Amino acid sequence: MRDDESPRSVMNLASQRGDNATHRRSRQNNFDILRFLAALAVIVSHAFPIAYGSTVKQPLEEFSNDQTELGSIAVLVFFAISGYLITQSYVRNPDPIRYLKARIFRIIPGLIVVIVSSVLVGSLITTFSPADYFFHRETVLYTIINLSLTGTRFELPGVFTNNPIGPIFNGSLWSLSPEFKLYICVLFLGIIGYLNRFTVIAVWAAAVLFYLFIQESRQALLLATFMGGAIIYLWHDRIAWKQSYAMISLLVLLISLSTSLFNVLFTIIGSYATIYLAISTRTCFSWVTARGDLSYGMYIYAWPVQQMVVLYLGDAATWYSVLLTSLPVILVLAWFSWNYVELTAIRFSQRQISDPLERSSTRSR
């Protein structure tokens, strides 16, 4: 993207429609590849605690004085993209029913399959009898709470109890509930007529102040980052989209790793850099993910696959052995999830609704 390229033309490029019949397209943006890399970063990051336990420190944790680690930054990237695209979706098509259906069709089908398959796989390796396992309170709560997105349950009875990280069957699911609640927040602001520049800035500022002065809450940080992405979209026609500014933003973030301000700065500066990279046509890698968006499947299947690897490797498990052994399996599962679950749901939703975000298959994680 040229430094003098108009923001409006950039946004038009960022929202180009792909081939609705096959979803195998080459859009001129980098949203899918950024999500793919973020999902991969989560997998790399999770390999450390899954292999060694929760007390192990990852390299970036040491470097940043415990501010963050690779997986946490990846989640912030997801939320910045999500804030941008979800706000774009509602603003462009402010129909509450269509908006809600689009969100449900995109996130719920894949979640149903991973939850059901998790419970079934758990039944094969649990120390409980089949009857005790399936009717156990934890199994019921794991299924209902995770599927309803009202919260997160991590454990299945008698499963992974001796693994270093403990009996956490799928630690990645924690971010889905707050993300879906933010979808509802956008819907609510849209319905009451307050999905505008100044309301979104006010919510962002409140979340940042809460994080800085009341409690370093992960929920507040996710809210601020999501709203940072929303701010970028709502102010896109007044933002200077320059490569030099994006590079300066990344440099400031790198320097802030040695201070205590990285997370707060990421909510807006990181959001700008993320969206710049996503919409930039100067360097476009859309061809990498032209045949499908694997990021969601990678994200939701990676943790249980890595836990299974540790279960069978035992004391021989290292972060790199867990990563290298699990990654091919994760990619295969993600491919099946995209082609036979997510894409099927998207196609069905397109017969029911008309949503530019879904038609271009630009999904938030």
Side-chain angles (χ1 to χ4, degrees):
M1 183 179 66
R2 302 186 308 274
D3 283 355
D4 60 346
E5 193 166 4
S6 71
R8 191 170 301 279
S9 66
V10 172
M11 297 305 147
N12 289 337
L13 284 171
S15 62
Q16 283 185 346
R17 288 176 57 178
D19 182 351
N20 292 331
T22 64
H23 281 263
R24 292 174 178 175
R25 72 285 181 220
S26 181
R27 299 187 317 280
Q28 295 301 306
N29 65 59
N30 294 311
F31 281 108
D32 283 355
I33 187 61
L34 280 181
R35 284 192 296 254
F36 178 88
L37 292 175
L40 185 60
V42 169
I43 295 169
V44 173
S45 182
H46 284 171
F48 286 86
I50 290 176
Y52 305 126
S54 59
T55 58
V56 68
K57 283 191 176 182
Q58 301 176 42
L60 192 55
E61 284 184 283
E62 298 279 3
F63 181 76
S64 66
N65 298 315
D66 296 328
Q67 280 190 91
T68 191
E69 38 84 21
L70 189 61
S72 296
I73 295 176
V75 170
L76 294 183
V77 169
F78 279 132
F79 273 74
I81 291 175
S82 183
Y84 179 91
L85 291 177
I86 297 302
T87 303
Q88 177 192 83
S89 178
Y90 190 89
V91 169
R92 290 185 172 186
N93 192 358
D95 182 316
I97 301 300
R98 289 181 175 180
Y99 170 89
L100 191 57
K101 283 183 177 179
R103 306 289 74 77
I104 290 173
F105 276 113
R106 189 58 188 93
I107 197 170
I108 295 297
L111 182 61
I112 290 174
V113 173
V114 76
I115 294 300
V116 172
S117 61
S118 295
V119 171
L120 293 176
V121 169
S123 70
L124 301 177
I125 58 176
T126 182
T127 57
F128 284 55
S129 68
D132 290 341
Y133 171 82
F134 283 111
F135 293 101
H136 196 281
R137 179 175 180 271
E138 285 301 319
T139 305
V140 175
L141 291 177
Y142 183 91
T143 305
I144 294 175
I145 293 177
N146 287 331
L147 283 179
S148 67
L149 294 172
T150 55
T152 311
R153 302 291 290 198
F154 295 110
E155 298 183 16
L156 286 170
V159 180
F160 299 140
T161 54
N162 295 320
N163 278 19
I165 194 65
I168 301 174
F169 195 92
N170 197 335
S172 297
L173 297 183
W174 72 268
S175 69
L176 298 186
S177 177
E179 183 172 4
F180 194 77
K181 289 171 183 175
L182 287 170
Y183 295 171
I184 302 302
C185 179
V186 169
L187 176 62
F188 175 74
L189 291 175
I191 289 174
I192 65 175
Y194 280 91
L195 186 60
N196 56 54
R197 292 171 173 175
F198 299 104
T199 300
V200 170
I201 288 177
V203 175
W204 169 81
V208 167
L209 291 173
F210 183 91
Y211 183 84
L212 284 174
F213 300 111
I214 299 177
Q215 182 184 358
E216 291 188 359
S217 164
R218 184 166 61 180
Q219 304 296 323
L221 182 62
L222 295 181
L223 172 60
T225 306
F226 185 93
M227 289 302 165
I231 290 169
I232 298 299
Y233 174 73
L234 292 173
W235 289 82
H236 67 259
D237 58 342
R238 298 190 182 185
I239 292 175
W241 295 99
K242 294 187 177 183
Q243 186 181 55
S244 57
Y245 291 174
M247 296 301 294
I248 291 171
S249 298
L250 292 173
L251 179 61
V252 170
L253 288 174
L254 180 62
I255 294 172
S256 71
L257 285 171
S258 62
T259 71
S260 60
L261 296 176
F262 173 82
N263 285 325
V264 168
L265 288 175
F266 191 97
T267 65
I268 194 67
I269 296 177
S271 294
Y272 173 86
T274 298
I275 301 306
Y276 174 87
L277 292 172
I279 66 177
S280 175
T281 56
R282 179 185 294 274
T283 305
C284 185
F285 294 95
S286 60
W287 58 271
V288 178
T289 53
R291 301 187 70 82
D293 179 5
L294 304 185
S295 59
Y296 185 43
M298 292 169 64
Y299 186 81
I300 60 178
Y301 282 100
W303 185 290
V305 171
Q306 290 179 307
Q307 279 279 61
M308 289 289 291
V309 169
V310 171
L311 179 67
Y312 289 104
L313 288 181
D315 294 337
T318 61
W319 75 268
Y320 52 86
S321 66
V322 171
L323 175 64
L324 295 176
T325 305
S326 64
L327 189 57
V329 179
I330 293 166
L331 291 174
V332 169
L333 290 174
W335 185 86
F336 274 98
S337 178
W338 167 253
N339 283 281
Y340 297 105
V341 181
E342 300 163 53
L343 190 54
T344 300
I346 291 172
R347 286 171 173 165
F348 179 78
S349 73
Q350 288 177 351
R351 292 197 293 268
Q352 308 297 318
I353 57 179
S354 178
D355 187 313
L357 183 61
E358 299 308 319
R359 287 186 178 274
S360 63
S361 185
T362 49
R363 178 198 61 78
S364 73
R365 192 356 308 75

